[in-house]
Amino acid sequence: MSAGDELLRFWAKQIMESLSDEEAVGRITADRFVVLRRNGGEEALRKDDKVLGPVRTYFMDRGKENRVLLCGGVYVVTPADRQQINIDHMMDRASMEEKKVRDTRNEGYEFYNPEQWEKGKQVADIINHLPAAIKSGGLHVWYQPQVNYETRKITGAEALCRWDHDKVGFLYPSDFISVLEESGLIYDLDCFVWDKVCQDLHRWNEQGIRRSVSVNVSRCDIREDRDIPGQFSRLIQKYGITPDQLRIEITETAFAENPDLLISNTNKLRELGFQVEMDDFGSGYSSLHMLKEVPVDRIKLDLHFLTSSGDQKKSRTIVGCMIQMVELLEMKMIAEGVETVGQAKFLHDQGCSEMQGYYFYKPMPAEEFEKLREDI
Ligand code: C2E
Ligand code: MG
Ligand code: MG
């Protein structure tokens, strides 16, 4: 009994030292513990092994022959569990897996829901590799040209990030933006992209090509009240470019979440001479109210949301009226997601000539964008 107590105390000490502030451990009964851990992927499992190794050999390290067998069951918490937390349910399932291992008289662990674990592992992998990707050049900024349909000239571009991930391969923003937003890392990525864009603008200025580029600002950057105007001021000083070369894209959803912060950031940015654009207009719920409250320079109408489903005739009417309304409000407009000549012609007939979309160009690496002539 006393040798067993000694081992349990040792185990508890080892595990507690390895936990972060957001993790927890508890003893249920006898030699059964429950641990709540973050899914840290393979790295965390290796770390666990380092902690459990000395427990396994505890007696042998002290000259005795008893080997300790460790069995575990893992239940991976799902998004649904977060909605409705039921600890007994999760522990029962972990316990069931642990029993399976124990019954084999082997040691190790089994997963109740391995698919969920795999998903979490991928997310952990993305998060763990962001700093390395920034350093090693795995992150790229691509440009999608914006054109004036009437003059046939390139009037700017939107900077969009791409990630050539060591393990997972080539990633599009839809694979990692939300993961980075959830884990609080999106600002690091955005700062990298903004820096790279200013660097490119400076190089193009030196070559005598003056461009303006739209950059994305995550709604989380607004919510966390990062000093966005300060960051952009520092960047234009660092690279000797002018503020009118940057168009700052803020999404409509940021307005729904934090109207006051969004308005104060927009005002500050515009006072400093930057252009501010409302991204993805037409995709959210607060559009009309937002139009009245936020003093942006340009509205980016997302054609995709308006034309993908429903009555086409109605969609065209809505788009036409929106263009008129934005014009009457003395704001500029650009349509994004333009895929066909029909859409381009329609937009132009309705009075919107600035466009971005696959019909003209897909996003491309900086070197390719550089080579484009002004006329399309
Ligand atoms: P967004 O800002 O609305 O960017 C436009 C997206 O539409 C881009 O997707 C672009 O490739 C795509 N697109 C352009 N033309 C067409 C078209 O004709 N048809 C269709 N179906 N799609 C078109 P991408 O590059 O995958 O980016 C997706 C979203 O990820 C962006 O939407 C933006 O919200 C976010 N994002 C991209 N780069 C960054 C970044 O550096 N920082 C932040 N915070 N978000 C970013
Ligand atoms: Mg955008
Ligand atoms: Mg957009």
Side-chain angles (χ1 to χ4, degrees), residues 144-177:
Q144 183 175 33
Q146 298 167 340
V147 301
N148 185 301
Y149 188 71
E150 208 166 294
T151 63
R152 305 268 151 177
K153 282 195 188 315
I154 292 175
T155 51
E158 176 172 8
L160 296 160
C161 63
R162 299 289 180 264
W163 189 346
D164 207 354
H165 194 278
D166 292 348
K167 283 197 202 152
V168 192
F170 199 81
L171 297 172
Y172 285 88
S174 55
D175 301 318
F176 58 86
I177 295 283

PDB file of all heavy atoms in Angstrom, residues 144-177:
ATOM      1  N   GLN A 144      -4.218  39.671 -56.538  1.00  0.00           N
ATOM      2  CA  GLN A 144      -5.253  39.538 -57.557  1.00  0.00           C
ATOM      3  C   GLN A 144      -5.543  40.931 -58.116  1.00  0.00           C
ATOM      4  O   GLN A 144      -6.025  41.809 -57.399  1.00  0.00           O
ATOM      5  CB  GLN A 144      -6.535  38.933 -56.976  1.00  0.00           C
ATOM      6  CG  GLN A 144      -7.590  38.737 -58.066  1.00  0.00           C
ATOM      7  CD  GLN A 144      -8.839  38.031 -57.569  1.00  0.00           C
ATOM      8  OE1 GLN A 144      -9.245  38.193 -56.423  1.00  0.00           O
ATOM      9  NE2 GLN A 144      -9.468  37.258 -58.438  1.00  0.00           N
ATOM     10  N   PRO A 145      -5.218  41.154 -59.407  1.00  0.00           N
ATOM     11  CA  PRO A 145      -5.393  42.480 -59.984  1.00  0.00           C
ATOM     12  C   PRO A 145      -6.853  42.934 -59.957  1.00  0.00           C
ATOM     13  O   PRO A 145      -7.772  42.123 -60.045  1.00  0.00           O
ATOM     14  CB  PRO A 145      -4.929  42.299 -61.433  1.00  0.00           C
ATOM     15  CG  PRO A 145      -4.040  41.118 -61.404  1.00  0.00           C
ATOM     16  CD  PRO A 145      -4.607  40.216 -60.365  1.00  0.00           C
ATOM     17  N   GLN A 146      -7.022  44.253 -59.801  1.00  0.00           N
ATOM     18  CA  GLN A 146      -8.345  44.869 -59.905  1.00  0.00           C
ATOM     19  C   GLN A 146      -8.304  45.729 -61.156  1.00  0.00           C
ATOM     20  O   GLN A 146      -7.285  46.364 -61.430  1.00  0.00           O
ATOM     21  CB  GLN A 146      -8.603  45.732 -58.663  1.00  0.00           C
ATOM     22  CG  GLN A 146      -8.614  44.896 -57.393  1.00  0.00           C
ATOM     23  CD  GLN A 146      -8.545  45.708 -56.106  1.00  0.00           C
ATOM     24  OE1 GLN A 146      -8.120  46.858 -56.123  1.00  0.00           O
ATOM     25  NE2 GLN A 146      -8.941  45.104 -55.010  1.00  0.00           N
ATOM     26  N   VAL A 147      -9.392  45.731 -61.922  1.00  0.00           N
ATOM     27  CA  VAL A 147      -9.345  46.432 -63.204  1.00  0.00           C
ATOM     28  C   VAL A 147     -10.512  47.406 -63.354  1.00  0.00           C
ATOM     29  O   VAL A 147     -11.542  47.250 -62.687  1.00  0.00           O
ATOM     30  CB  VAL A 147      -9.396  45.431 -64.388  1.00  0.00           C
ATOM     31  CG1 VAL A 147      -8.254  44.457 -64.334  1.00  0.00           C
ATOM     32  CG2 VAL A 147     -10.723  44.685 -64.407  1.00  0.00           C
ATOM     33  N   ASN A 148     -10.319  48.381 -64.225  1.00  0.00           N
ATOM     34  CA  ASN A 148     -11.426  49.240 -64.600  1.00  0.00           C
ATOM     35  C   ASN A 148     -11.942  48.758 -65.946  1.00  0.00           C
ATOM     36  O   ASN A 148     -11.229  48.785 -66.938  1.00  0.00           O
ATOM     37  CB  ASN A 148     -10.973  50.700 -64.672  1.00  0.00           C
ATOM     38  CG  ASN A 148     -12.147  51.621 -64.946  1.00  0.00           C
ATOM     39  OD1 ASN A 148     -12.835  51.489 -65.958  1.00  0.00           O
ATOM     40  ND2 ASN A 148     -12.386  52.540 -64.036  1.00  0.00           N
ATOM     41  N   TYR A 149     -13.181  48.301 -65.943  1.00  0.00           N
ATOM     42  CA  TYR A 149     -13.743  47.672 -67.139  1.00  0.00           C
ATOM     43  C   TYR A 149     -13.847  48.672 -68.295  1.00  0.00           C
ATOM     44  O   TYR A 149     -13.751  48.300 -69.452  1.00  0.00           O
ATOM     45  CB  TYR A 149     -15.135  47.125 -66.793  1.00  0.00           C
ATOM     46  CG  TYR A 149     -15.749  46.280 -67.866  1.00  0.00           C
ATOM     47  CD1 TYR A 149     -15.254  45.013 -68.139  1.00  0.00           C
ATOM     48  CD2 TYR A 149     -16.846  46.741 -68.599  1.00  0.00           C
ATOM     49  CE1 TYR A 149     -15.819  44.217 -69.122  1.00  0.00           C
ATOM     50  CE2 TYR A 149     -17.418  45.959 -69.585  1.00  0.00           C
ATOM     51  CZ  TYR A 149     -16.896  44.689 -69.838  1.00  0.00           C
ATOM     52  OH  TYR A 149     -17.462  43.926 -70.811  1.00  0.00           O
ATOM     53  N   GLU A 150     -14.015  49.935 -67.940  1.00  0.00           N
ATOM     54  CA  GLU A 150     -14.200  50.948 -68.971  1.00  0.00           C
ATOM     55  C   GLU A 150     -12.876  51.334 -69.619  1.00  0.00           C
ATOM     56  O   GLU A 150     -12.751  51.366 -70.834  1.00  0.00           O
ATOM     57  CB  GLU A 150     -14.845  52.162 -68.334  1.00  0.00           C
ATOM     58  CG  GLU A 150     -15.676  52.972 -69.270  1.00  0.00           C
ATOM     59  CD  GLU A 150     -16.532  53.927 -68.471  1.00  0.00           C
ATOM     60  OE1 GLU A 150     -17.422  53.437 -67.735  1.00  0.00           O
ATOM     61  OE2 GLU A 150     -16.311  55.143 -68.558  1.00  0.00           O
ATOM     62  N   THR A 151     -11.875  51.636 -68.753  1.00  0.00           N
ATOM     63  CA  THR A 151     -10.586  52.081 -69.301  1.00  0.00           C
ATOM     64  C   THR A 151      -9.676  50.907 -69.624  1.00  0.00           C
ATOM     65  O   THR A 151      -8.629  51.086 -70.231  1.00  0.00           O
ATOM     66  CB  THR A 151      -9.859  52.992 -68.297  1.00  0.00           C
ATOM     67  OG1 THR A 151      -9.589  52.210 -67.128  1.00  0.00           O
ATOM     68  CG2 THR A 151     -10.701  54.196 -67.920  1.00  0.00           C
ATOM     69  N   ARG A 152     -10.058  49.712 -69.165  1.00  0.00           N
ATOM     70  CA  ARG A 152      -9.254  48.501 -69.398  1.00  0.00           C
ATOM     71  C   ARG A 152      -7.882  48.586 -68.730  1.00  0.00           C
ATOM     72  O   ARG A 152      -6.912  48.005 -69.205  1.00  0.00           O
ATOM     73  CB  ARG A 152      -9.060  48.224 -70.895  1.00  0.00           C
ATOM     74  CG  ARG A 152     -10.349  48.142 -71.672  1.00  0.00           C
ATOM     75  CD  ARG A 152     -10.813  46.723 -71.710  1.00  0.00           C
ATOM     76  NE  ARG A 152     -12.267  46.649 -71.803  1.00  0.00           N
ATOM     77  CZ  ARG A 152     -12.925  45.497 -71.915  1.00  0.00           C
ATOM     78  NH1 ARG A 152     -12.297  44.360 -71.937  1.00  0.00           N
ATOM     79  NH2 ARG A 152     -14.229  45.477 -71.965  1.00  0.00           N
ATOM     80  N   LYS A 153      -7.801  49.320 -67.645  1.00  0.00           N
ATOM     81  CA  LYS A 153      -6.512  49.431 -66.959  1.00  0.00           C
ATOM     82  C   LYS A 153      -6.551  48.733 -65.608  1.00  0.00           C
ATOM     83  O   LYS A 153      -7.602  48.632 -64.978  1.00  0.00           O
ATOM     84  CB  LYS A 153      -6.170  50.913 -66.736  1.00  0.00           C
ATOM     85  CG  LYS A 153      -5.655  51.601 -67.990  1.00  0.00           C
ATOM     86  CD  LYS A 153      -4.998  52.917 -67.620  1.00  0.00           C
ATOM     87  CE  LYS A 153      -4.626  53.770 -68.818  1.00  0.00           C
ATOM     88  NZ  LYS A 153      -3.977  53.087 -69.901  1.00  0.00           N
ATOM     89  N   ILE A 154      -5.370  48.271 -65.183  1.00  0.00           N
ATOM     90  CA  ILE A 154      -5.250  47.700 -63.843  1.00  0.00           C
ATOM     91  C   ILE A 154      -5.199  48.860 -62.859  1.00  0.00           C
ATOM     92  O   ILE A 154      -4.379  49.765 -63.008  1.00  0.00           O
ATOM     93  CB  ILE A 154      -3.974  46.841 -63.731  1.00  0.00           C
ATOM     94  CG1 ILE A 154      -4.131  45.594 -64.618  1.00  0.00           C
ATOM     95  CG2 ILE A 154      -3.719  46.444 -62.279  1.00  0.00           C
ATOM     96  CD1 ILE A 154      -2.901  44.730 -64.696  1.00  0.00           C
ATOM     97  N   THR A 155      -6.111  48.842 -61.880  1.00  0.00           N
ATOM     98  CA  THR A 155      -6.178  49.979 -60.960  1.00  0.00           C
ATOM     99  C   THR A 155      -5.672  49.636 -59.567  1.00  0.00           C
ATOM    100  O   THR A 155      -5.633  50.486 -58.689  1.00  0.00           O
ATOM    101  CB  THR A 155      -7.630  50.468 -60.848  1.00  0.00           C
ATOM    102  OG1 THR A 155      -8.456  49.333 -60.550  1.00  0.00           O
ATOM    103  CG2 THR A 155      -8.101  51.091 -62.150  1.00  0.00           C
ATOM    104  N   GLY A 156      -5.312  48.384 -59.349  1.00  0.00           N
ATOM    105  CA  GLY A 156      -4.826  47.976 -58.034  1.00  0.00           C
ATOM    106  C   GLY A 156      -4.797  46.466 -57.950  1.00  0.00           C
ATOM    107  O   GLY A 156      -4.858  45.782 -58.977  1.00  0.00           O
ATOM    108  N   ALA A 157      -4.710  45.981 -56.716  1.00  0.00           N
ATOM    109  CA  ALA A 157      -4.720  44.534 -56.519  1.00  0.00           C
ATOM    110  C   ALA A 157      -5.096  44.261 -55.075  1.00  0.00           C
ATOM    111  O   ALA A 157      -4.964  45.141 -54.219  1.00  0.00           O
ATOM    112  CB  ALA A 157      -3.341  43.959 -56.811  1.00  0.00           C
ATOM    113  N   GLU A 158      -5.578  43.055 -54.827  1.00  0.00           N
ATOM    114  CA  GLU A 158      -5.801  42.648 -53.435  1.00  0.00           C
ATOM    115  C   GLU A 158      -4.716  41.651 -53.052  1.00  0.00           C
ATOM    116  O   GLU A 158      -4.407  40.734 -53.824  1.00  0.00           O
ATOM    117  CB  GLU A 158      -7.178  41.996 -53.249  1.00  0.00           C
ATOM    118  CG  GLU A 158      -7.352  41.481 -51.815  1.00  0.00           C
ATOM    119  CD  GLU A 158      -8.739  40.989 -51.458  1.00  0.00           C
ATOM    120  OE1 GLU A 158      -9.597  40.890 -52.349  1.00  0.00           O
ATOM    121  OE2 GLU A 158      -8.950  40.682 -50.262  1.00  0.00           O
ATOM    122  N   ALA A 159      -4.127  41.858 -51.886  1.00  0.00           N
ATOM    123  CA  ALA A 159      -3.103  40.935 -51.389  1.00  0.00           C
ATOM    124  C   ALA A 159      -3.795  39.777 -50.680  1.00  0.00           C
ATOM    125  O   ALA A 159      -4.620  39.995 -49.791  1.00  0.00           O
ATOM    126  CB  ALA A 159      -2.172  41.661 -50.423  1.00  0.00           C
ATOM    127  N   LEU A 160      -3.470  38.547 -51.073  1.00  0.00           N
ATOM    128  CA  LEU A 160      -4.086  37.359 -50.469  1.00  0.00           C
ATOM    129  C   LEU A 160      -2.978  36.383 -50.077  1.00  0.00           C
ATOM    130  O   LEU A 160      -2.044  36.164 -50.850  1.00  0.00           O
ATOM    131  CB  LEU A 160      -5.034  36.706 -51.477  1.00  0.00           C
ATOM    132  CG  LEU A 160      -6.232  37.575 -51.888  1.00  0.00           C
ATOM    133  CD1 LEU A 160      -6.821  37.100 -53.209  1.00  0.00           C
ATOM    134  CD2 LEU A 160      -7.292  37.575 -50.791  1.00  0.00           C
ATOM    135  N   CYS A 161      -3.066  35.826 -48.880  1.00  0.00           N
ATOM    136  CA  CYS A 161      -1.932  34.986 -48.463  1.00  0.00           C
ATOM    137  C   CYS A 161      -2.124  33.525 -48.869  1.00  0.00           C
ATOM    138  O   CYS A 161      -3.241  33.021 -48.989  1.00  0.00           O
ATOM    139  CB  CYS A 161      -1.686  35.122 -46.985  1.00  0.00           C
ATOM    140  SG  CYS A 161      -3.036  34.565 -46.013  1.00  0.00           S
ATOM    141  N   ARG A 162      -0.995  32.872 -49.079  1.00  0.00           N
ATOM    142  CA  ARG A 162      -0.952  31.447 -49.409  1.00  0.00           C
ATOM    143  C   ARG A 162       0.115  30.825 -48.526  1.00  0.00           C
ATOM    144  O   ARG A 162       1.106  31.461 -48.207  1.00  0.00           O
ATOM    145  CB  ARG A 162      -0.552  31.243 -50.886  1.00  0.00           C
ATOM    146  CG  ARG A 162      -1.514  31.852 -51.883  1.00  0.00           C
ATOM    147  CD  ARG A 162      -2.824  31.078 -51.938  1.00  0.00           C
ATOM    148  NE  ARG A 162      -3.790  31.609 -52.879  1.00  0.00           N
ATOM    149  CZ  ARG A 162      -4.772  32.447 -52.539  1.00  0.00           C
ATOM    150  NH1 ARG A 162      -4.915  32.862 -51.298  1.00  0.00           N
ATOM    151  NH2 ARG A 162      -5.630  32.878 -53.452  1.00  0.00           N
ATOM    152  N   TRP A 163      -0.094  29.578 -48.151  1.00  0.00           N
ATOM    153  CA  TRP A 163       0.835  28.937 -47.223  1.00  0.00           C
ATOM    154  C   TRP A 163       1.319  27.611 -47.804  1.00  0.00           C
ATOM    155  O   TRP A 163       0.521  26.707 -48.025  1.00  0.00           O
ATOM    156  CB  TRP A 163       0.137  28.721 -45.897  1.00  0.00           C
ATOM    157  CG  TRP A 163       1.013  28.255 -44.779  1.00  0.00           C
ATOM    158  CD1 TRP A 163       2.281  27.761 -44.852  1.00  0.00           C
ATOM    159  CD2 TRP A 163       0.676  28.272 -43.381  1.00  0.00           C
ATOM    160  NE1 TRP A 163       2.764  27.468 -43.601  1.00  0.00           N
ATOM    161  CE2 TRP A 163       1.790  27.774 -42.686  1.00  0.00           C
ATOM    162  CE3 TRP A 163      -0.459  28.657 -42.658  1.00  0.00           C
ATOM    163  CZ2 TRP A 163       1.804  27.651 -41.293  1.00  0.00           C
ATOM    164  CZ3 TRP A 163      -0.442  28.524 -41.290  1.00  0.00           C
ATOM    165  CH2 TRP A 163       0.681  28.024 -40.613  1.00  0.00           C
ATOM    166  N   ASP A 164       2.603  27.528 -48.027  1.00  0.00           N
ATOM    167  CA  ASP A 164       3.195  26.284 -48.492  1.00  0.00           C
ATOM    168  C   ASP A 164       3.685  25.554 -47.243  1.00  0.00           C
ATOM    169  O   ASP A 164       4.795  25.764 -46.786  1.00  0.00           O
ATOM    170  CB  ASP A 164       4.373  26.626 -49.425  1.00  0.00           C
ATOM    171  CG  ASP A 164       4.611  25.524 -50.420  1.00  0.00           C
ATOM    172  OD1 ASP A 164       3.944  24.488 -50.297  1.00  0.00           O
ATOM    173  OD2 ASP A 164       5.454  25.718 -51.314  1.00  0.00           O
ATOM    174  N   HIS A 165       2.807  24.720 -46.691  1.00  0.00           N
ATOM    175  CA  HIS A 165       3.074  24.103 -45.383  1.00  0.00           C
ATOM    176  C   HIS A 165       3.960  22.867 -45.525  1.00  0.00           C
ATOM    177  O   HIS A 165       3.721  22.026 -46.403  1.00  0.00           O
ATOM    178  CB  HIS A 165       1.729  23.715 -44.760  1.00  0.00           C
ATOM    179  CG  HIS A 165       1.799  23.378 -43.311  1.00  0.00           C
ATOM    180  ND1 HIS A 165       2.192  22.151 -42.862  1.00  0.00           N
ATOM    181  CD2 HIS A 165       1.530  24.126 -42.213  1.00  0.00           C
ATOM    182  CE1 HIS A 165       2.148  22.155 -41.530  1.00  0.00           C
ATOM    183  NE2 HIS A 165       1.756  23.337 -41.121  1.00  0.00           N
ATOM    184  N   ASP A 166       4.971  22.787 -44.648  1.00  0.00           N
ATOM    185  CA  ASP A 166       5.946  21.677 -44.710  1.00  0.00           C
ATOM    186  C   ASP A 166       5.282  20.311 -44.809  1.00  0.00           C
ATOM    187  O   ASP A 166       5.633  19.485 -45.621  1.00  0.00           O
ATOM    188  CB  ASP A 166       6.803  21.642 -43.428  1.00  0.00           C
ATOM    189  CG  ASP A 166       7.698  22.851 -43.368  1.00  0.00           C
ATOM    190  OD1 ASP A 166       7.782  23.533 -44.408  1.00  0.00           O
ATOM    191  OD2 ASP A 166       8.271  23.121 -42.304  1.00  0.00           O
ATOM    192  N   LYS A 167       4.289  20.086 -43.912  1.00  0.00           N
ATOM    193  CA  LYS A 167       3.708  18.744 -43.834  1.00  0.00           C
ATOM    194  C   LYS A 167       2.425  18.614 -44.621  1.00  0.00           C
ATOM    195  O   LYS A 167       2.173  17.618 -45.270  1.00  0.00           O
ATOM    196  CB  LYS A 167       3.395  18.417 -42.370  1.00  0.00           C
ATOM    197  CG  LYS A 167       4.608  18.052 -41.578  1.00  0.00           C
ATOM    198  CD  LYS A 167       4.157  17.360 -40.310  1.00  0.00           C
ATOM    199  CE  LYS A 167       5.249  17.459 -39.265  1.00  0.00           C
ATOM    200  NZ  LYS A 167       4.699  17.425 -37.907  1.00  0.00           N
ATOM    201  N   VAL A 168       1.570  19.627 -44.511  1.00  0.00           N
ATOM    202  CA  VAL A 168       0.226  19.514 -45.059  1.00  0.00           C
ATOM    203  C   VAL A 168       0.173  19.870 -46.553  1.00  0.00           C
ATOM    204  O   VAL A 168      -0.724  19.440 -47.260  1.00  0.00           O
ATOM    205  CB  VAL A 168      -0.754  20.395 -44.241  1.00  0.00           C
ATOM    206  CG1 VAL A 168      -2.195  20.097 -44.571  1.00  0.00           C
ATOM    207  CG2 VAL A 168      -0.525  20.205 -42.750  1.00  0.00           C
ATOM    208  N   GLY A 169       1.152  20.657 -47.033  1.00  0.00           N
ATOM    209  CA  GLY A 169       1.159  21.048 -48.449  1.00  0.00           C
ATOM    210  C   GLY A 169       0.630  22.462 -48.649  1.00  0.00           C
ATOM    211  O   GLY A 169       0.577  23.237 -47.701  1.00  0.00           O
ATOM    212  N   PHE A 170       0.216  22.750 -49.883  1.00  0.00           N
ATOM    213  CA  PHE A 170      -0.225  24.098 -50.224  1.00  0.00           C
ATOM    214  C   PHE A 170      -1.595  24.389 -49.615  1.00  0.00           C
ATOM    215  O   PHE A 170      -2.534  23.640 -49.808  1.00  0.00           O
ATOM    216  CB  PHE A 170      -0.273  24.224 -51.746  1.00  0.00           C
ATOM    217  CG  PHE A 170      -0.262  25.645 -52.217  1.00  0.00           C
ATOM    218  CD1 PHE A 170       0.936  26.350 -52.291  1.00  0.00           C
ATOM    219  CD2 PHE A 170      -1.433  26.275 -52.581  1.00  0.00           C
ATOM    220  CE1 PHE A 170       0.951  27.671 -52.720  1.00  0.00           C
ATOM    221  CE2 PHE A 170      -1.421  27.593 -53.011  1.00  0.00           C
ATOM    222  CZ  PHE A 170      -0.225  28.290 -53.081  1.00  0.00           C
ATOM    223  N   LEU A 171      -1.671  25.461 -48.862  1.00  0.00           N
ATOM    224  CA  LEU A 171      -2.927  25.773 -48.176  1.00  0.00           C
ATOM    225  C   LEU A 171      -3.526  27.094 -48.642  1.00  0.00           C
ATOM    226  O   LEU A 171      -2.802  28.066 -48.872  1.00  0.00           O
ATOM    227  CB  LEU A 171      -2.682  25.891 -46.664  1.00  0.00           C
ATOM    228  CG  LEU A 171      -2.205  24.662 -45.907  1.00  0.00           C
ATOM    229  CD1 LEU A 171      -1.834  25.031 -44.474  1.00  0.00           C
ATOM    230  CD2 LEU A 171      -3.308  23.617 -45.886  1.00  0.00           C
ATOM    231  N   TYR A 172      -4.857  27.113 -48.746  1.00  0.00           N
ATOM    232  CA  TYR A 172      -5.578  28.346 -49.060  1.00  0.00           C
ATOM    233  C   TYR A 172      -6.098  28.948 -47.760  1.00  0.00           C
ATOM    234  O   TYR A 172      -6.251  28.226 -46.763  1.00  0.00           O
ATOM    235  CB  TYR A 172      -6.733  28.038 -50.016  1.00  0.00           C
ATOM    236  CG  TYR A 172      -6.230  27.783 -51.411  1.00  0.00           C
ATOM    237  CD1 TYR A 172      -5.852  26.510 -51.814  1.00  0.00           C
ATOM    238  CD2 TYR A 172      -6.095  28.837 -52.309  1.00  0.00           C
ATOM    239  CE1 TYR A 172      -5.353  26.289 -53.093  1.00  0.00           C
ATOM    240  CE2 TYR A 172      -5.595  28.623 -53.579  1.00  0.00           C
ATOM    241  CZ  TYR A 172      -5.231  27.356 -53.973  1.00  0.00           C
ATOM    242  OH  TYR A 172      -4.737  27.157 -55.218  1.00  0.00           O
ATOM    243  N   PRO A 173      -6.412  30.240 -47.772  1.00  0.00           N
ATOM    244  CA  PRO A 173      -6.873  30.876 -46.533  1.00  0.00           C
ATOM    245  C   PRO A 173      -8.032  30.139 -45.863  1.00  0.00           C
ATOM    246  O   PRO A 173      -8.121  30.115 -44.643  1.00  0.00           O
ATOM    247  CB  PRO A 173      -7.302  32.269 -46.983  1.00  0.00           C
ATOM    248  CG  PRO A 173      -6.486  32.557 -48.181  1.00  0.00           C
ATOM    249  CD  PRO A 173      -6.290  31.232 -48.868  1.00  0.00           C
ATOM    250  N   SER A 174      -8.909  29.511 -46.664  1.00  0.00           N
ATOM    251  CA  SER A 174     -10.051  28.837 -46.029  1.00  0.00           C
ATOM    252  C   SER A 174      -9.585  27.700 -45.115  1.00  0.00           C
ATOM    253  O   SER A 174     -10.302  27.290 -44.213  1.00  0.00           O
ATOM    254  CB  SER A 174     -10.989  28.292 -47.102  1.00  0.00           C
ATOM    255  OG  SER A 174     -10.263  27.457 -47.988  1.00  0.00           O
ATOM    256  N   ASP A 175      -8.345  27.196 -45.340  1.00  0.00           N
ATOM    257  CA  ASP A 175      -7.849  26.107 -44.497  1.00  0.00           C
ATOM    258  C   ASP A 175      -7.303  26.603 -43.159  1.00  0.00           C
ATOM    259  O   ASP A 175      -7.232  25.842 -42.202  1.00  0.00           O
ATOM    260  CB  ASP A 175      -6.696  25.365 -45.197  1.00  0.00           C
ATOM    261  CG  ASP A 175      -7.127  24.777 -46.523  1.00  0.00           C
ATOM    262  OD1 ASP A 175      -8.232  24.239 -46.578  1.00  0.00           O
ATOM    263  OD2 ASP A 175      -6.342  24.858 -47.492  1.00  0.00           O
ATOM    264  N   PHE A 176      -6.829  27.839 -43.127  1.00  0.00           N
ATOM    265  CA  PHE A 176      -6.130  28.219 -41.896  1.00  0.00           C
ATOM    266  C   PHE A 176      -6.545  29.542 -41.245  1.00  0.00           C
ATOM    267  O   PHE A 176      -6.278  29.747 -40.071  1.00  0.00           O
ATOM    268  CB  PHE A 176      -4.615  28.229 -42.119  1.00  0.00           C
ATOM    269  CG  PHE A 176      -4.147  29.158 -43.218  1.00  0.00           C
ATOM    270  CD1 PHE A 176      -3.900  30.491 -42.949  1.00  0.00           C
ATOM    271  CD2 PHE A 176      -3.951  28.689 -44.507  1.00  0.00           C
ATOM    272  CE1 PHE A 176      -3.471  31.346 -43.952  1.00  0.00           C
ATOM    273  CE2 PHE A 176      -3.522  29.540 -45.520  1.00  0.00           C
ATOM    274  CZ  PHE A 176      -3.279  30.884 -45.238  1.00  0.00           C
ATOM    275  N   ILE A 177      -7.244  30.436 -41.997  1.00  0.00           N
ATOM    276  CA  ILE A 177      -7.581  31.733 -41.389  1.00  0.00           C
ATOM    277  C   ILE A 177      -8.419  31.550 -40.114  1.00  0.00           C
ATOM    278  O   ILE A 177      -8.096  32.107 -39.068  1.00  0.00           O
ATOM    279  CB  ILE A 177      -8.328  32.660 -42.387  1.00  0.00           C
ATOM    280  CG1 ILE A 177      -7.407  33.031 -43.555  1.00  0.00           C
ATOM    281  CG2 ILE A 177      -8.865  33.919 -41.702  1.00  0.00           C
ATOM    282  CD1 ILE A 177      -6.369  34.078 -43.310  1.00  0.00           C
TER     283      ILE A 177
END
